[in-house]
Amino acid sequence: MGSGILSDLATEIIIPVAAVIGIVFSLVQWYFVSQVKLSPERQNSSNDSKNGYNDYLIEEEEGLNDHNVVLKCAEIQNAIAEGATSFLFTEYQYVGVFMVAFAILIFLFLGSVEGFSTKSRPCAYSPEKLCKPALATAVFSTVSFILGAITSVVSGFLGMKIATYANARTTLEARKGVGKAFITAFRSGAVMGFLLAANGLLVLYIAMNLFKLYYGDDWEGLFEAITGYGLGGSSMALFGRVGGGIYTKAADVGADLVGKVERNIPEDDPRNPAVIADNVGDNVGDIAGMGSDLFGSYAESSCAALVVASISSFGIDHDWTAMCYPLLVSSIGIVVCLITTLFATDFFEIKAVKEIEPALKKQLIISTVLMTIGVALVSWLALPPSFTIFNFGTQKVVKNWQLFLCVAVGLWAGLIIGFVTEYYTSNAYSPVQDVADSCRTGAATNVIFGLALGYKSVIIPIFAIAICIYVGFSFAAMYGIAVAALGMLGTIATGLAIDAYGPISDNAGGIAEMAGMSHRIRERTDALDAAGNTTAAIGKGFAIGSAALVSLALFGAFVSRASITTVDVLSPKVFIGLIVGAMLPYWFSAMTMKSVGSAALKMVEEVRRQFNTIPGLMEGLAKPDYATCVKISTDASIKEMIPPGALVMLTPLIVGTIFGVETLSGILAGSLVSGVQIAISASNTGGAWDNAKKYIEAGASDHARSLGPKGSDPHKAAVIGDTIGDPLKDTSGPSLNILIKLMAVESLVFAPFFAKHGGIIFKIF
């Protein structure tokens, strides 16, 4: 079959070097953000007169030297950072207990496949060869699970730390103009994006090399053990997403319903007791949760590709460079995203509000174009001209250009999904404007229009995913789908930078309001936030699209590993799995929505109690009790994240053990098909309602002004829509993509046990 141009030594150097470059670049970005001082000393004005006049004049004009404002910003930032840190530590204590328990479970299940024997066994795919014992797979799968879990937790925690470090700095920079504030928020997002992409790559690569010392030539066993890395990453992401999502939305709904609708005070008003909890929630849900989620997607798509490759010609011929193709694609992605980021922070400067959203969209386009060139290069250098890929029992001959097309289709499908999401959730286009217009006749019509928009927004993304699947499978079987998912995640550093930018801008606006800064500054942070809302929806679109492909690739690897030749829908065993699997996303959504509802109920009661019992609170003479609201959100989210988490984690174990691999394959297919649809529609409906409200509040066009101002009946109807959409877009929707990935990767890790001992009920009857 031959080998690629790139030598194994070059591969050994390129991957870790790319990861280190990513880490160094994120530290450089962090250094730039840290140059914005949060202390009231007089800053030396630079002679930077890019905006047409000297910074010094702007400082004077905006009252930059008002010490009280700077101190107030620093104080609010500390409160938000403390709340976020204490919540994550509490969450990680619970999650840590789960991690240890599940690690023991993995060891016991996989070790018992061969009765904890330490003897070598015939390989699953090449019985004539001897592979390492099942006990080794159990030990190494457990280790890689813990590695993935720790990396996921660290990714989320670091993201939260960066965001809480940058939010007040963005507020202070907004006094010098919208361009400065944009760069600070974007650089902070880039810190998180690059740290996560680089750490994910580096830890996976080191684990592969360390495991290789034991496994030697048994690559089949080596990469089977590596799948635990993806399982660890996603299981932590599930709790991060669900827990963080419940936290942020309980606070948000409570703050909005009492503050805006009942008391008619602005968003993020310091008189609102839930305002700190709301801003903490942006960091633990949208930042820490999103970080862990995309890290999980990245880890799983890499693992799915590696598992399939290990039983293809790459693994059989021990071609290390071709084997590392998924990691090389990620490495080139880091370099591409680095160049792309410079376009936003250094090559072009934003001077007006209307340039913000185009600048963020350019990031997506530039990274996709450059990544296409990068992937073509890697495919030519790293892959042999022709090779074979395992395809359900046979080996399919594939050319290197076909594999390039698989990655490229995933990459461009991601961009299409991003832009369709933007069209349906940005208030610059007619769908959201129609939703805003429907508020004239009250909240009911707003809800009807919003739901219709969400359902309609599913159509094009599903076609894009379907084309990806068809092209990927036609060219390179399940491996083609796995690398298409990697293609979609190829620009993960840029995607995450854009995504993290949103909550940072949202927090910056909140801090400006609480610190009592001028109306002009609040307008600037609102403009940053509105663009951030749309980019957050784009980020969710990417996460859901890639989750669908990753889940299918993992499903393929599971079916191969469990020795199922065909999944026959007409077989009753499979069909019952299919119909129950399609129900699971609804059950899961019901749990998460109800959790947000019950937590928000407690929050609303507490906020009302404070407004009614604390004298002088509405007049701004007394300070609200923020800590009680933070505690309500924390307690509710920790308690409520366990049942949905248990549903996802236990379903594959129970179904696989009792009903066997065929029913489990039906469950996975059913949950994938229905989960993707609900996730896309929920995220886009919520995003559209949020931006319809912001469209009315901004009053930037005659149409918007005819619906406003804040406090008008159409505005109140829009706030109700936004409140309903909150748990949809930030709790249920984003958590569903973890549900479909996590069940698939868990089934893959436990496949040897299910194949040997599963289906108890059918053995008895």
Side-chain angles (χ1 to χ4, degrees), residues 368 409-419 464 468 488 538 541-542:
T368 304
V409 163
L411 186 62
W412 285 90
L415 186 68
I416 291 166
I417 291 172
F419 279 154
C468 263
M488 206 173 272
I538 292 173
F542 266 95

Side-chain angles (χ1 to χ4, degrees), residues 392 555 558-560 564-571 574-575 578 661-667 669:
F392 301 118
F555 175 70
F558 161 73
V559 167
S560 304
I564 305 170
T565 43
T566 54
V567 177
D568 181 5
V569 181
L570 295 175
S571 144
V574 175
F575 195 81
L578 201 63
V661 286
E662 287 183 4
T663 308
L664 182 53
S665 66
I667 289 269

